[in-house]
Amino acid sequence: MSRLFNQFRRRLLPKNRFTRYLLYTIGEIIIVIIGILLALQVDTWNTQRESREEAQVFLKQLKNEFMANRKQLVQKVVLRDRALQSARELLRFVDGTSEYNTPSQVDSLLAVALPVYTFDPSLGVLNQLTSTDKLTLMRNEVLNDTLSKWNSMIQDFKEDEDMYNSYNHNHFRPFLYENYNARNIINSRIRHKVINEILLSSPEKVNDEIGFSGLPVDLDVLKNSAEFENYLAFVVSWLALINTQSEGILNYIDTVLEIIDREIVVE
């Protein structure tokens, strides 16, 4: 093409057609500029296409991550609700209004009420997006704004979980170790597979029974203890609070998933 332009230019100059030559030169410059602009535009289109494709990959990964987090949180809500109902039944036992009055029944109630269930969300994809500034690929401002609240929300939630975990291990359990038979509680937990869903990937020996104690059990030690009653009241309060907060997080996750679904291109 350039060879053809050069030949045409040489034919114009000897004939003293300067004006035509000038117009030709300007036209040639315009053609070159147009070519450059087209090349830049094609490059921009390719970059935008690659960004859209990368965004779609991250959106699908985010969806999988939040769906897994939701599944785990629902599981923990169910387990905590079981613990909450068991703690309430133990309060009725203290009040003398419960149908559960035998040592084995109280063991079972304690086995369900005692475990602590924490939410441990996966944050890999979102942290990757944040640390590499890839959130800019998500051109939905509502989604970006919503995702920016996730870490602070989880941090606040984990603080309450940690406080209950500390209370459970440093106060409630020591009381039971001192005043009741922990072996019976643990064996009842294993026998009834109280936390079996949490131990699915654990070795089978974790679920091997350890037998019940041959020592006598005096239920009046618990029934007539104001300290035990107070501990149960706090357990009920903490579990109800944490599960209420969990519902808020579930609503948040559902909102994120709805936005992501609108952004994902169905192929």
Side-chain angles (χ1 to χ4, degrees):
M1 180 64 72
S2 59
R3 182 179 179 184
L4 181 63
F5 284 146
N6 290 334
Q7 291 175 353
F8 187 64
R9 185 166 52 244
R10 284 196 296 269
R11 286 199 300 271
L12 290 176
L13 285 175
K15 299 179 181 179
N16 199 24
R17 298 178 180 176
F18 179 76
T19 301
R20 291 186 181 181
Y21 173 74
L22 182 61
L23 291 174
Y24 166 79
T25 303
I26 294 173
E28 189 178 75
I29 293 172
I30 292 174
I31 291 174
V32 172
I33 292 174
I34 291 174
I36 294 173
L37 292 175
L38 285 174
L40 290 174
Q41 185 61 51
V42 170
D43 185 63
T44 299
W45 287 336
N46 288 334
T47 301
Q48 291 175 343
R49 177 181 55 79
E50 292 172 358
S51 295
R52 286 194 299 270
E53 291 175 353
E54 189 175 12
Q56 287 295 308
V57 171
F58 279 123
L59 282 168
K60 292 174 183 177
Q61 291 175 345
L62 268 178
K63 179 178 180 178
N64 290 336
E65 183 168 271
F66 273 96
M67 287 180 66
N69 287 336
R70 190 187 194 285
K71 180 179 179 180
Q72 183 202 155
L73 185 54
V74 168
Q75 179 193 61
K76 299 299 172 61
V77 167
V78 171
L79 291 172
R80 278 196 298 265
D81 189 60
R82 285 169 52 191
L84 174 60
Q85 298 309 316
S86 184
R88 290 184 184 278
E89 191 62 43
L90 284 167
L91 278 175
R92 286 189 282 271
F93 159 76
V94 171
D95 293 337
T97 59
S98 174
E99 297 179 356
Y100 297 85
N101 294 303
T102 67
S104 62
Q105 289 173 329
V106 172
D107 290 342
S108 297
L109 290 174
L110 287 169
V112 175
L114 198 58
V116 176
Y117 304 105
T118 59
F119 177 46
D120 305 297
S122 173
L123 303 172
V125 177
L126 184 56
N127 284 344
Q128 181 184 358
L129 288 172
T130 304
S131 62
T132 59
D133 201 30
K134 292 289 187 178
L135 273 178
T136 55
L137 292 171
M138 312 299 167
R139 301 190 179 277
N140 188 314
E141 293 299 325
V142 175
L143 176 60
N144 288 345
D145 182 61
T146 305
L147 290 175
S148 68
K149 300 174 183 177
W150 175 246
N151 284 334
S152 61
M153 181 185 298
I154 293 302
Q155 184 177 353
D156 291 342
F157 180 71
K158 295 297 291 181
E159 287 177 359
D160 285 337
E161 276 194 338
D162 291 343
M163 283 191 286
Y164 174 63
N165 189 35
S166 175
Y167 169 80
N168 184 291
H169 284 83
N170 296 328
H171 299 281
F172 188 33
R173 292 180 187 228
F175 171 83
L176 292 173
Y177 299 155
E178 182 69 24
N179 297 279
Y180 199 70
N181 195 307
R183 177 181 178 182
N184 289 350
I185 298 173
I186 294 171
N187 198 59
S188 182
R189 185 202 73 195
I190 295 172
R191 171 169 290 188
H192 297 291
K193 296 179 170 50
V194 172
I195 57 174
N196 193 55
E197 295 175 64
I198 307 300
L199 299 176
L200 287 177
S201 60
S202 300
E204 187 62 31
K205 62 182 180 181
V206 173
N207 287 319
D208 287 345
E209 291 192 34
I210 60 175
F212 291 101
S213 174
L215 297 174
V217 175
D218 184 3
L219 292 181
D220 287 338
V221 171
L222 299 182
K223 199 166 190 177
N224 298 324
S225 171
E227 191 174 1
F228 180 60
E229 184 177 16
N230 290 338
Y231 285 139
L232 286 174
F234 277 109
V235 168
V236 169
S237 178
W238 273 110
L239 290 175
L241 171 65
I242 293 173
N243 260 8
T244 299
Q245 293 174 318
S246 297
E247 292 299 328
I249 295 177
L250 284 173
N251 290 336
Y252 167 89
I253 292 176
D254 287 341
T255 297
V256 170
L257 289 174
E258 288 175 6
I259 299 173
I260 289 176
D261 280 338
R262 291 198 296 268
E263 292 296 304
I264 291 178
V265 176
V266 180
E267 298 178 355

